[in-house]
Structures are given as C-alpha cells and as structure tokens.
Amino acid sequence: MKTHGRYRITTAYQAKYGNPIRFESGELLDLGGRDSEYPEFLWAKDEHGREGWVHQSKFLVTSEKKAVTTAHYDAVELSVRPGELVTAEEMLGDWSWCTNSAGSKGWLPNHVLERLTEVLPFSIRPIEAKDDTLMAAIIRHVMPEFGAVGDGFAINDPEVDWMSRAYSDSRCAYFVVVINGVVKGGGGIAPLAGGDPDTCELRKMYFLPECRGLGAGTALMARCLQAARLQGFKRCYLETLDSMKEAQKLYERSGFKKQCGTLGNTGHGGCDTFYVLDL
C-alpha cells in the first residue's frame, strides 16, 4: 500500500541481511516457508541466488515451490537509531519502506516508527559563517549555567568564535538548530584529538532554554551520529559534567555508555563524566 508520512524512530533497528533479494517483474523465484511472525512474507531465492523475505503481493505462485514476480521489489532493510527521522513511502503488512535524512532507503518494522502528527517547531542545517557570532554567544551563555567556566572547558577554545571554519575540516561536521529563522543551539562531531582514527568526539552541543523540551536534542544527536558514520568513524566519545543531568539522559537514550576514564587528549580537564558509543 502506498503511503506517505514522517516518522521518528523509537527503537534501534539493525539490518539483518548483507545481500538481500531484489528483482523486477517477470523473474522466477524459488519459494520457502512463511514467516511465523509476519505470515504475509515468504522466504524466497531469486535467479541470482539472493535470498530474503518477500511480501506475497509481489509474486504469483505457479507451482508448489515456484513463483513469478509481478513488480519491482528490494528486500534491503534500513539500520536506524532512536531519534532519527524517516519518510515512509510504502507499507506491506507490518513493514514500511522508508528513506532517512541521508537518502538511504530500506524496510523497517512498523513497531519502531512513531508518526509525526505535527510540524516540528525547529529545523536543523549545517552551520554557516553567518551563524558564527550567534553560536559563540550561545556557547558562552549556556556553559556558565552549568559551571563550565575557567580553564579546562570548551568555552575557552579558540574555535568558539569561528565554528563554521573549524568544522569545515576533513571528517568534521557541525549543525545548528533553528527556530523561527533564529539559531538557538548546535552540536557537531570531529576526530578525537590524540585518539585513534576510528574515534570521533561529540563536540559543543548546547541549546538555549527555549530550544529544550522540543525534541531538538534527540534530532540533533541523530544528525551528528549519522554524519559520524558517513565519515567512517566506528566510535563516538564525549566529555561532560556530572551536573548536566538532562544531557546525560539524552546521551544514554542515544546508546552512549558511561566509562571510567578519558580517551584522547581534548584539553578539557574540567570535565568529570565520559561516554562512548559504538557506531
């Protein structure tokens, strides 16, 4: 069934098949058994030896274990993390064909999808040079709220005044949250200083009070982690303060695990709480 809608991912889902079945109309299939959980899907093998679950609407049975396909079909699944936003284009049984913000497509079980019934009050985009002054002001306004001032904190990093230039380097990305045309927060990723090349750091994720409680943190986190995966990183590390309780809830919802010690050499000795996420 054709559909169209925006959804938020509520539960992580990992694609299970590396070379899934795919075909055009008029191809032959060898059929196996029905899925016990999703009985509208049958296991099938195509003419190229690829196997996977196929919805019964995509073929006509010609004999006990043979069928001919009646439409284009691709059984590829989409790997997603909580908080990601996707668009659903087709629904078959309890599964939906979805596209994420990077343009990747695949099937997702409907139980991980939460339909967005209203327009989000914010947007997220890459930082631009025109945002530098306001983003620096946001960082310098928010960090003292949590006692993150003085030596050993990111508020003193030179890049605070030229974030767009700092995150234009290779394997870096920084995004801003915009409400009614005005930047209200931001966050990004970059290679971990002094760390191994497979590890990035989540950096300078801060929001003004009016930007909190809207889902912006979850959406921005998903955007940053997606950028990290696209850049080939295998782990994401972050440093924070124990006093930032709400931020820690966001990190833990996103899959980060607290660890005892530091990684790399960020220069932020004032932080006392550390997290790592396997991407």
Side-chain angles (χ1 to χ4, degrees):
M1 178 180 67
K2 294 297 182 182
T3 184
H4 183 79
R6 294 279 286 167
Y7 295 83
R8 180 182 289 112
I9 302 300
T10 60
T11 307
Y13 184 81
Q14 182 67 39
K16 296 180 174 63
Y17 307 103
N19 186 29
I21 189 171
R22 54 189 182 276
F23 51 73
E24 302 297 331
S25 178
E27 298 184 32
L28 299 178
L29 299 179
D30 293 319
L31 298 179
R34 287 186 180 274
D35 190 303
S36 59
E37 185 176 4
Y38 305 103
E40 293 178 328
F41 288 83
L42 285 80
W43 190 258
K45 179 187 291 187
D46 66 17
E47 296 172 316
H48 305 283
R50 296 179 297 235
E51 297 182 87
W53 295 107
V54 180
H55 193 265
Q56 61 190 16
S57 66
K58 299 297 183 179
F59 58 80
L60 291 174
V61 177
T62 57
S63 64
E64 183 180 0
K65 293 293 183 181
K66 299 289 185 180
V68 60
T69 62
T70 58
H72 166 79
Y73 183 76
D74 191 334
V76 66
E77 296 175 330
L78 194 60
S79 295
V80 290
R81 297 275 182 166
E84 286 191 59
L85 300 180
V86 299
T87 301
E89 303 171 15
E90 182 180 10
M91 185 181 297
L92 293 176
D94 293 318
W95 291 74
S96 293
W97 180 257
C98 298
T99 305
N100 66 16
S101 59
S104 298
K105 298 176 181 288
W107 293 100
L108 288 171
N110 291 341
H111 67 78
V112 307
L113 302 175
E114 177 186 46
R115 189 175 182 89
L116 298 177
T117 57
E118 59 183 3
V119 177
L120 292 174
F122 59 85
S123 60
I124 297 174
R125 61 167 172 78
I127 193 170
E128 301 173 6
K130 66 181 182 181
D131 306 318
D132 283 349
T133 299
L134 187 50
M135 198 62 231
I138 290 171
I139 293 170
R140 291 183 174 124
H141 175 83
V142 174
M143 293 192 71
E145 179 182 347
F146 299 96
V149 293
D151 293 339
F153 291 105
I155 194 171
N156 297 310
D157 291 351
E159 70 180 42
V160 168
D161 288 307
W162 36 274
M163 297 284 284
S164 63
R165 179 154 51 97
Y167 289 84
S168 65
D169 289 347
S170 175
R171 304 186 82 193
C172 297
Y174 197 90
F175 305 97
V176 292
V177 178
V178 181
I179 298 177
N180 296 326
V182 181
V183 173
K184 297 292 184 178
I189 58 101
L192 175 62
D196 69 76
D198 287 336
T199 303
C200 67
E201 181 187 8
L202 185 74
R203 292 186 178 180
K204 296 181 174 65
M205 182 175 284
Y206 297 106
F207 305 91
L208 291 175
E210 60 265 35
C211 193
R212 301 169 196 169
L214 303 176
T218 299
L220 181 59
M221 177 68 79
R223 188 75 176 268
C224 289
L225 296 180
Q226 180 184 65
R229 295 185 186 99
L230 290 174
Q231 292 291 349
F233 291 110
K234 303 301 182 185
R235 286 170 300 282
C236 186
Y237 169 75
L238 68 85
E239 299 177 338
T240 187
L241 287 173
D242 183 63
S243 60
M244 293 182 170
K245 300 299 185 184
E246 291 302 314
Q248 290 180 55
K249 291 178 183 178
L250 170 62
Y251 304 148
E252 291 168 6
R253 286 200 308 270
S254 302
F256 281 86
K257 304 297 183 184
K258 191 176 289 187
Q259 67 164 36
C260 296
T262 62
L263 296 180
N265 182 22
T266 67
H268 300 151
C271 295
D272 59 10
T273 306
F274 317 100
Y275 285 87
V276 172
L277 170 68
D278 289 328
L279 297 170

